[in-house]
Amino acid sequence: MDSSTQKLEIFIQAPDLQIPTRALTLTPNSTVRNLKLSFLSQINSIHQTLASSSFFTLNGRLLSDSDTLENSGVTSLSTLSLRFRLSGGGGDGGATGAESRDCYLNMYAEKKPDKCDPNEQRLSKWLNCALSNEPLKHPIVVDHLGNLFNKQALVEALLTKKLPKAFSHIKGLKDMIAVELASIPGSDSPSSSDVKFQCPITSMEFNGKYKFYALKTCGHVLSSKALKEVKSSTCHVCHKDFAESDKLIINGNEEEVIVLREKMEVEKMKLREKKVKKVKNGGLGVNGDMDVVKVSGTKHGIDLKGPLKVSGKIETNGNKTVDGLKGNGKRFKASDSAPAHANKEVSLPLGRN
């Protein structure tokens, strides 16, 4: 279908204006600025002034006014948030009268990049995949550093070998932990708030304001408050046992991530040592004894079944001994009887018994 005739229905939220969510219909080749002017013209007569001090975000990502809706990743039924920059000023502005007009012109010659709200950036980590920046949707996985991913996006990056260096510690499925996030009732509606998940015990929103832990044994994600107030060694949802080391913090701060990385390296080192030890023990017998030789059969009336140690002393009728295979056994006469523990190193003469 031609993009000039295709229509997109877009939902607009403006928390700073304290107005309900509104819906607009535009074409994909419309710019973000056109969308902004169209929206502001419905609520304010001085929308030109508001347009210069406002910006749109999509899932916490800042949208440029000059980009088209299609290039910005806006699809039908997308929900955009309109935010306003705080106005600065310090009274007289600190002007001394000595500055030339060119000084001010040079100051604004290059357009400075728009500053994104820190709250929006924080919220984006809890709502979107750390790899694709798309909204989180099941199946969801977490790595050993507490980063959240859409499993499909992560697997595709591993298969195509396009995983960023920041996630180089992820080598395969063994480095992912499947997690179960509890959805907020009614969060699937386009007009609902950005937050989609919550703690299944305390109903605290999964928005970065509170600490959350993933349990490695079962994958359920619970708030720190739920784990503290209801102290138990079993999951509050599925009642599966877990240890303190099974608690993995989600989107931890810098110090917490450093601790998780050190713990991850220690576990990898233990796994490597275990593999090396297994390879070394692979060539030994069950008991690890290289001196044991298994033989079978009966010769000269001696039962040789089962493990038989090569070393040992054999007593002859001349009160001399043969030490293992190193000594020289005495030859017996035809009239002599073989010792009880004779082996094939003891020679018997040919002839009649």
Side-chain angles (χ1 to χ4, degrees):
M1 183 182 295
D2 188 3
S3 60
S4 61
T5 59
Q6 185 182 2
K7 298 293 184 182
L8 298 179
E9 185 179 8
I10 304 170
F11 295 92
I12 308 295
Q13 295 179 339
D16 298 331
L17 297 178
Q18 297 182 354
I19 60 175
T21 301
R22 298 197 179 191
L24 293 178
T25 302
L26 289 91
T27 59
N29 55 8
S30 298
T31 63
V32 175
R33 180 172 177 79
N34 291 339
L35 172 63
K36 187 189 301 182
L37 293 175
S38 177
F39 174 73
L40 292 175
S41 64
Q42 298 181 10
I43 60 174
N44 199 302
S45 58
I46 54 172
H47 58 274
Q48 291 286 352
T49 305
L50 292 176
S52 62
S53 61
S54 61
F55 59 92
F56 273 120
T57 60
L58 173 63
N59 295 326
R61 178 168 54 87
L62 187 67
L63 303 183
S64 174
D65 284 358
S66 59
D67 288 343
T68 63
L69 298 178
E70 185 177 12
N71 293 338
S72 299
V74 179
T75 59
S76 188
L77 302 181
S78 293
T79 300
L80 305 184
S81 295
L82 182 67
R83 297 288 185 178
F84 292 88
R85 300 180 184 87
L86 297 176
S87 59
D92 60 358
T96 63
E99 295 88 351
S100 65
R101 182 172 178 271
D102 291 338
C103 179
Y104 291 102
L105 293 177
N106 292 333
M107 185 184 301
Y108 297 102
E110 294 183 4
K111 185 179 179 181
K112 296 181 179 179
D114 294 324
K115 293 183 179 179
C116 188
D117 186 353
N119 292 329
E120 291 285 344
Q121 292 180 330
R122 170 186 53 78
L123 188 60
S124 178
K125 291 179 61 177
W126 293 80
L127 301 182
N128 303 327
C129 170
L131 179 63
S132 65
N133 200 37
E134 296 178 351
L136 289 171
K137 57 181 179 180
H138 292 291
I140 302 171
V141 295
V142 63
D143 65 3
H144 292 287
L145 299 182
N147 299 305
L148 291 167
F149 303 90
N150 287 331
K151 184 177 181 179
Q152 182 178 355
L154 187 55
V155 171
E156 287 178 359
L158 286 170
L159 292 176
T160 57
K161 298 181 179 180
K162 294 182 179 179
L163 200 63
K165 189 176 181 180
F167 305 125
S168 59
H169 58 279
I170 303 176
K171 305 298 183 183
L173 295 176
K174 66 180 184 303
D175 298 317
M176 311 177 198
I177 302 172
V179 294
E180 190 69 30
L181 291 173
S183 300
I184 297 176
S187 60
D188 295 335
S189 173
S191 59
S192 64
S193 62
D194 291 335
V195 181
K196 305 293 183 183
F197 307 107
Q198 66 178 1
C199 173
I201 306 301
T202 63
S203 298
M204 300 175 72
E205 291 188 347
F206 193 72
N207 56 12
K209 294 182 180 179
Y210 316 102
K211 282 189 178 183
F212 277 78
Y213 291 89
L215 302 182
K216 296 180 182 180
T217 52
C218 62
H220 285 106
V221 177
L222 304 173
S223 66
S224 175
K225 183 178 181 180
L227 294 171
K228 286 181 179 179
E229 292 188 353
V230 188
K231 294 184 178 180
S232 174
S233 60
T234 60
C235 173
H236 301 333
V237 179
C238 64
H239 306 294
K240 190 171 183 178
D241 292 337
F242 71 90
E244 189 68 22
S245 59
D246 294 324
K247 292 164 55 177
L248 176 64
I249 191 167
I250 303 293
N251 290 328
N253 57 37
E254 186 176 351
E255 292 78 10
E256 290 167 335
V257 172
I258 291 175
V259 173
L260 289 176
R261 188 178 294 277
E262 292 176 350
K263 184 178 179 181
M264 178 183 68
E265 294 300 331
V266 170
E267 290 179 353
K268 286 185 177 181
M269 188 178 296
K270 288 182 179 180
L271 184 61
R272 284 194 294 266
E273 291 176 353
K274 186 177 180 181
K275 287 183 178 180
V276 171
K277 188 176 181 181
K278 185 176 181 181
V279 171
K280 287 183 178 180
N281 293 338
L284 301 180
V286 177
N287 298 324
D289 193 349
M290 293 292 291
D291 293 334
V292 176
V293 181
K294 288 184 177 290
V295 294
S296 61
T298 303
K299 189 173 183 180
H300 301 300
I302 305 171
D303 187 6
L304 300 178
K305 290 182 180 179
L308 176 66
K309 287 206 172 187
V310 176
S311 61
K313 293 187 178 182
I314 302 173
E315 192 172 322
T316 64
N317 61 346
N319 296 327
K320 293 183 179 181
T321 61
V322 179
D323 189 3
L325 299 179
K326 296 179 182 179
N328 295 322
K330 179 183 176 181
R331 290 186 155 304
F332 293 94
K333 296 180 180 179
S335 59
D336 293 333
S337 60
H341 300 290
N343 57 22
K344 48 186 182 178
E345 290 299 319
V346 181
S347 302
L348 294 176
L350 296 176
R352 296 180 180 177
N353 294 332

